[in-house]
Amino acid sequence: MASVSPTDLASLLSLLQDEQQSFEALSSAFARTFARQDHMRLCSAMALLLEHPDLLPSVSSRLRILFLLVDLFRAEGLPHNPFCTTFMQILNSSPSDQPEVGTPFSLTHCEHQFLSELLASATPNLQQKSAAEIISTFSIHKPTALDVSDIEALCLKQERELPVAARASVSCVLDDSDNSVPANPSSATLETAVNLMSDPLGKTGFRFHPTFVRPCPPLLPVSESELVWINPPQHEHSIVWDKSMGQDNAAGSELRNLLRKACTSPLNPTEHAAMVADLARNQKLIFQVGFTPAKLPQLVEHNPLIAVDVLMHLMPSSQIADFLSKLVQMDLSLQSMEVVNRLTTAVALPAEFLHLYIEHCLRSCETIKDKFWQSRLVRLVCVFLQSLIRNKIIDVKELFIEIQAFCITFSRIREAAGLFRLLKTLDVGDAAKPGANGANGTNGAGPSSSSSPEKDAADH
């Protein structure tokens, strides 16, 4: 804890000495005098005065300190009050008529009773009273002690949550056991308190915490085989010339240019054939041209057949999950459905991807605002789903509720009604056993596996 400046200490001691001022006015004056970021530092200094009552012998001043320590953190609640441990130490100490030097938190009966009433909120309008009124009332008729066992339990729980090193601390101030606590503070006493709490070098810090010892780990035993690295042997290395260095990879350069063009505009048949030939000639060439998942949506929109071929070559790599995720994230279109439909008939796609893509299709149809484009997309999606169901590429049982709700929502569209009838006539038990993705033969009731959503929609 940092030290307190002499100016702040002088202002603080001046506030604490006015015993006729009400506690409510004291709280307002404290908030006006000191900035909020200084409250914790000043409260720590006041807690030090409570721990060593000989530094502040006035009972009225200590009563005002107790009120401030409770009131300033009342909004956080008692368990989160940083001075909850201080309150517990005061309540557990034995009160006396006169504080004893050398005993931490040795306070009077009046101060014990006042702290109990503060914590238990047992006295109404306590904030309107002054320290002088509390002392005079207590001297006339001593009130009965309050049960604060619940409060002590909360304070003890809060203390146990602190680290062991934080709990194991002692005050940096030692009491002078030769002197008793005077009835009124003298100038020498106040000067001592100011010097202790405004240590310019911060030597006291109010509390002394033990240093957490971190010994250096011992060295491992050295084996004879490790000694060779003290003087490593000299080996003669021969230079091997890379004959391919500096050579232009014509195929890679041509494929990179074609791929860059394919992401911006449709390719003509000659360019399309050249790109397919380059990919077929070198299976790893697609990994050397800088094609990333961010470029996939543009390639799908302008050249869906090229996108299918590129994804087929990327399928064995670990990057395929990122490309498939980009397919799910892009806007729904005929081209994206065409790409997914062709991939399902050629390779085994992950079931999770298919479920996410179908949910994306259903959700896109429901959120689109243009009625004409919505009807067209619904027809395409229905044809796409019929192709997947009839070829047993998806497990209808897992998506039955979503697809059925989709068909009911768009029942006015003929393709949606046809998909609904297919779901009703479908044997769910057989549909729960999806066929192998890939070269699945078609059954007699459905379109061939190479049919596309565009073609089927045109037939309808």
Side-chain angles (χ1 to χ4, degrees):
M1 180 64 62
S3 59
V4 184
S5 66
T7 305
D8 289 343
L9 279 176
S11 302
L12 177 63
L13 293 176
S14 175
L15 286 176
L16 297 178
Q17 289 174 1
D18 188 1
E19 61 180 10
Q20 300 299 330
Q21 186 184 37
S22 67
F23 292 113
E24 186 177 14
L26 169 66
S27 179
S28 301
F30 187 89
R32 290 194 307 268
T33 306
F34 304 108
R36 187 173 182 83
Q37 59 268 23
D38 297 331
H39 286 186
M40 187 64 191
R41 200 165 62 244
L42 292 167
C43 288
S44 299
M46 290 189 289
L48 178 67
L49 295 176
L50 288 179
E51 186 175 1
H52 304 277
D54 56 331
L55 295 177
L56 190 63
S58 174
V59 176
S60 61
S61 298
R62 294 200 296 267
L63 289 176
R64 295 164 72 81
I65 288 178
L66 289 173
F67 177 81
L68 288 175
L69 293 183
V70 175
D71 186 69
L72 290 176
F73 303 95
R74 192 181 299 276
E76 286 80 358
L78 181 60
H80 302 287
N81 191 310
F83 299 95
C84 189
T85 303
T86 302
F87 302 149
M88 186 183 66
Q89 290 176 313
I90 294 175
L91 295 175
N92 289 335
S93 63
S94 299
S96 59
D97 295 331
Q98 182 71 18
E100 299 178 4
V101 177
T103 303
F105 302 104
S106 176
L107 304 183
T108 63
H109 292 279
C110 178
E111 293 166 273
H112 270 252
Q113 181 67 27
F114 178 70
L115 178 60
S116 301
E117 293 179 359
L118 271 179
L119 298 179
S121 301
T123 304
N125 302 324
L126 185 62
Q127 294 183 350
Q128 275 101 40
K129 297 183 179 181
S130 65
E133 292 175 348
I134 296 295
I135 296 173
S136 61
T137 303
F138 184 83
S139 61
I140 295 174
H141 50 78
K142 296 184 179 181
T144 57
L146 297 175
D147 183 13
V148 291
S149 57
D150 294 339
I151 298 174
E152 292 180 358
L154 287 175
C155 294
L156 184 60
K157 180 181 178 182
Q158 194 265 355
E159 182 184 16
R160 288 175 178 172
E161 293 178 356
L162 295 175
V164 177
R167 283 180 283 166
S169 63
V170 295
S171 175
C172 291
V173 179
L174 299 180
D175 296 297
D176 186 1
S177 58
D178 294 336
N179 298 324
S180 60
V181 178
N184 296 308
S186 62
S187 59
T189 303
L190 294 179
E191 183 180 358
T192 302
V194 169
N195 291 336
L196 285 173
M197 292 184 291
S198 61
D199 181 7
L201 299 179
K203 295 177 182 178
T204 61
F206 303 154
R207 306 294 298 178
F208 175 77
H209 296 272
T211 304
F212 187 76
V213 180
R214 298 177 177 86
C216 297
L219 294 176
L220 294 174
V222 180
S223 62
E224 294 183 1
S225 59
E226 293 179 283
L227 299 177
V228 68
W229 297 109
I230 298 178
N231 295 304
Q234 299 294 329
H235 294 285
E236 294 183 1
H237 301 282
S238 58
I239 298 177
V240 179
W241 183 257
D242 184 6
K243 297 181 179 180
S244 63
M245 185 173 59
Q247 295 181 358
D248 183 22
N249 190 345
S253 177
E254 182 181 359
L255 179 61
R256 186 181 297 104
N257 294 333
L258 288 175
L259 193 58
R260 187 182 300 112
K261 182 178 180 181
C263 291
T264 56
S265 62
L267 298 181
N268 57 46
T270 304
E271 294 171 333
H272 184 281
M275 191 169 182
V276 172
D278 288 341
L279 290 173
R281 192 162 37 247
N282 189 347
Q283 300 287 339
K284 298 181 179 181
L285 198 58
I286 188 62
F287 301 101
Q288 304 172 8
V289 294
F291 185 68
T292 61
K295 300 178 182 178
L296 181 62
Q298 290 81 6
L299 182 62
V300 170
E301 291 300 323
H302 294 97
N303 294 276
L305 296 181
I306 293 294
V308 173
D309 203 15
V310 169
L311 289 174
M312 290 284 293
H313 286 81
L314 290 171
M315 199 62 65
S317 71
S318 59
Q319 305 174 11
I320 188 60
D322 297 332
F323 285 93
L324 294 179
S325 176
K326 204 65 180 179
L327 270 179
V328 176
Q329 296 172 8
M330 66 179 293
D331 294 337
L332 182 63
S333 63
L334 168 65
Q335 289 82 357
S336 65
M337 282 191 290
E338 178 71 15
V339 169
V340 175
N341 185 63
R342 288 181 177 272
L343 286 175
T344 57
T345 60
V347 295
L349 291 175
E352 182 182 2
F353 161 72
L354 288 175
H355 292 170
L356 290 175
Y357 186 78
I358 292 174
E359 291 175 358
H360 172 62
C361 293
L362 303 181
R363 187 166 54 250
S364 298
C365 291
E366 294 173 355
T367 56
I368 193 170
K369 301 300 181 182
D370 191 335
K371 295 297 182 183
F372 173 77
W373 182 238
Q374 184 186 52
S375 300
R376 186 165 184 263
L377 276 184
V378 169
R379 289 196 299 270
L380 292 174
V381 170
C382 290
V383 173
F384 172 65
L385 292 177
Q386 288 182 33
S387 174
L388 296 180
I389 293 173
R390 286 171 174 165
N391 290 319
K392 298 182 179 180
I393 295 175
I394 61 172
D395 188 354
V396 183
K397 186 177 181 180
E398 297 181 358
L399 296 169
F400 187 84
I401 296 177
E402 291 84 353
I403 298 177
Q404 181 177 344
F406 173 78
C407 295
I408 294 174
T409 303
F410 299 100
S411 57
R412 58 184 174 81
I413 299 177
R414 184 178 60 182
E415 287 76 6
L419 178 60
F420 185 79
R421 288 193 299 270
L422 176 61
L423 292 177
K424 290 300 182 183
T425 59
L426 190 65
D427 184 359
V428 178
D430 294 338
K433 304 174 182 178
N437 295 352
N440 279 340
T442 61
N443 53 23
S448 64
S449 60
S450 60
S451 62
S452 65
E454 177 70 17
K455 179 180 177 182
D456 291 344
D459 293 340
H460 284 282

